[in-house]
Amino acid sequence: MGNMNIKSRLSDIEGDLPGAHAFLDLMAQDKKVVDGRLRFVLARRIGDAFVTDEVDPGLVVEMLSGELGH
C-alpha cells in the first residue's frame, strides 16, 4: 500500500492555523457533537477504537497549544 499523504500532525498542514481555542470552537461544530459535548474517536491500540465524550476540553487546548507552538 502506498502513502496516502494523510496529515497526522498539525505541523504537516501548510499555511496559517488558528489558535488552540479557535480550533476547539471549530471542533464544536463537528457532527460528532451531541448535546453540546464533543465526542472523540480514540484508539487504545490498533483495531481497538472507542467513542467518548469524557475528554477534558482544557487538555485538548493544552495539546493543541503544544502542537501549534503557542
Side-chain angles (χ1 to χ4, degrees):
M1 260 183 134
N3 180 345
M4 297 176 61
N5 293 322
I6 295 173
K7 309 293 185 206
S8 61
R9 301 193 64 92
L10 290 175
S11 60
D12 294 339
I13 300 171
E14 296 177 12
D16 293 331
L17 297 176
H21 289 282
F23 255 115
L24 194 60
D25 289 342
L26 290 169
M27 292 167 68
Q29 299 174 30
D30 189 86
K31 65 184 177 197
K32 291 182 287 300
V33 173
V34 176
D35 296 329
R37 293 186 58 98
L38 184 59
R39 296 186 304 167
F40 290 84
V41 179
L42 303 174
R44 290 182 184 93
R45 61 189 158 277
I46 295 174
D48 187 10
F50 64 101
V51 177
T52 183
D53 65 359
E54 296 181 13
V55 176
D56 179 349
L59 291 175
V60 175
V61 168
E62 184 179 322
M63 184 278 307
L64 289 170
S65 294
E67 284 289 314
L68 293 166
H70 300 135

